[in-house]
């Protein structure tokens, strides 16, 4: 069974540009969430999607957005990039049914964004 | 609000010795606790979780964790460390039972010396 796939793995952008990151969850997983990892702030939650609906959102500015498609694949977009957006962006999926979820998250390898 | 604390930035241990990576938590309601490991330039790998039941949880690669409700701790342990265990370890708590959102600790770097 293939794991969580994130593309691209590495990318370099300049300030003011925008970027779109993609995540394909494990087959059968309908829940996808995104995290930002930086040396200073650690792992911070960005969003959570389930069945194409955003269920939860972290404390990030509106420049950060996401969506989920009917096949459970997800994308996140960051507009007007700032130097501080340089980070490893991690996507995770889970086999979550409606209601209480006790399962673990399965993470992808991440997309490392460098903003110059 | 839920939170976890990892009091040690780094833990050093000799190969073959037991290791402990500490984690304490603060939650309202029942805690759903997790340990993940991260190798350089990689994503997070799930090690183990505590949802309910036995306080000693066994996980991947010979790791185990002990849930202690009175001390609000969930320490990660391994009886005999390997050099290949050297990595960054994260403790996490689920924000609420109906969400996937995890709140992570700051991470502990484990260094196992030959």
């Amino acid at each position: 069974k293939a794991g969580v796939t994130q593309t691209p793995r590495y990318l370099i952008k300049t300030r003011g540009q925008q970027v779109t990151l993609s995540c394909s969850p494990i087959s059968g997983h309908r829940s996808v969430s995104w995290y930002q990892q930086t040396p200073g702030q650690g792992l911070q939650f960005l969003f959570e999607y389930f069945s194409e609906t955003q269920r939860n959102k972290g404390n990030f500015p509106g420049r950060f957005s996401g969506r989920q498609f009917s096949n459970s694949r997800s994308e996140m977009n960051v507009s007007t990039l700032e130097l501080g957006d340089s980070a490893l962006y991690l996507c995770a999926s889970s086999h979550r049914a409606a209601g209480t979820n006790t399962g673990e998250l399965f993470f992808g390898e991440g997309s490392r964004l460098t903003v110059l | 609000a839920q939170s976890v604390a990892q009091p040690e930035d780094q833990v050093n241990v000799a190969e073959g010795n037991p290791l402990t990576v500490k984690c304490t938590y603060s939650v309202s309601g029942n805690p759903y606790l997790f340990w993940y490991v991260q190798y350089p330039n990689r994503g997070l790998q799930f090690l183990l979780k505590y949802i309910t039941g036995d306080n000693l949880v066994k996980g991947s690669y010979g790791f185990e964790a002990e849930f202690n409700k009175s001390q609000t701790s969930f320490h990660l342990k391994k009886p005999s460390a390997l050099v290949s265990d050297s990595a960054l370890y994260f403790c996490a708590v689920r924000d609420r039972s109906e969400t996937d959102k995890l709140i992570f600790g700051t991470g502990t770097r484990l260094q196992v010396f030959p």
Side-chain angles (χ1 to χ4, degrees), chain A residues 31 94-105, chain B residues 32 34 51 94 96-100:
Chain A
S31 179
S94 77
H95 183 62
R96 177 183 168 208
T100 299
N101 176 34
T102 60
E104 60 271 24
L105 298 185
Chain B
Y32 295 173
F34 302 81
I51 303 299
R94 175 152 286 149
R96 299 186 309 277
S97 62
E98 66 275 17
T99 178
D100 273 351

Side-chain angles (χ1 to χ4, degrees), chain A residues 9 37 88 90 108-109 112, chain B residues 36-47 60-61 63 78 82-90 109-110:
Chain A
R9 289 290 315 278
Q37 185 178 21
L88 181 67
L90 293 165
E109 298 290 287
R112 183 166 295 282
Chain B
Y36 284 86
V37 60
Q38 185 177 37
Y39 296 97
N41 298 314
R42 305 293 295 274
L44 303 179
Q45 293 181 31
F46 169 75
L47 284 177
S60 307
Y61 313 119
F63 283 94
K78 189 174 182 182
L82 299 172
V83 172
S84 58
D85 292 330
S86 299
L88 189 56
Y89 290 79
F90 290 96
R109 186 164 302 280
L110 173 66

Side-chain angles (χ1 to χ4, degrees), chain B:
Chain B
Q2 325 286 54
S3 66
V4 292
Q6 294 181 245
E8 302 156 316
D9 289 336
Q10 180 154 329
V11 169
N12 299 317
V13 64
E15 187 174 33
N17 283 1
L19 70 88
T20 299
V21 182
K22 296 179 180 178
C23 172
T24 59
Y25 65 89
S26 174
V27 302
S28 55
N30 295 322
Y32 295 173
L33 297 160
F34 302 81
W35 275 103
Y36 284 86
V37 60
Q38 185 177 37
Y39 296 97
N41 298 314
R42 305 293 295 274
L44 303 179
Q45 293 181 31
F46 169 75
L47 284 177
L48 49 79
K49 65 182 178 183
Y50 173 83
I51 303 299
T52 186
D54 291 339
N55 290 341
L56 185 63
V57 179
K58 294 190 181 297
S60 307
Y61 313 119
F63 283 94
E64 57 190 28
E66 187 171 7
F67 172 71
N68 188 314
K69 189 173 183 178
S70 62
Q71 297 186 5
T72 62
S73 66
F74 189 56
H75 300 332
L76 182 70
K77 301 183 179 186
K78 189 174 182 182
S80 179
L82 299 172
V83 172
S84 58
D85 292 330
S86 299
L88 189 56
Y89 290 79
F90 290 96
C91 181
V93 63
R94 175 152 286 149
D95 189 34
R96 299 186 309 277
S97 62
E98 66 275 17
T99 178
D100 273 351
K101 177 183 175 182
L102 291 180
I103 297 170
F104 287 90
T106 51
T108 298
R109 186 164 302 280
L110 173 66
Q111 190 71 46
V112 182
F113 295 95

Side-chain angles (χ1 to χ4, degrees), chain A residues 12-32:
Chain A
I12 300 174
K13 295 284 186 178
T14 57
R15 280 181 298 173
Q17 287 186 310
Q18 74 164 11
V19 65
T20 298
L21 308 178
S22 179
C23 172
S24 293
I26 291 172
S27 177
H29 287 191
R30 296 165 61 192
S31 179
V32 173

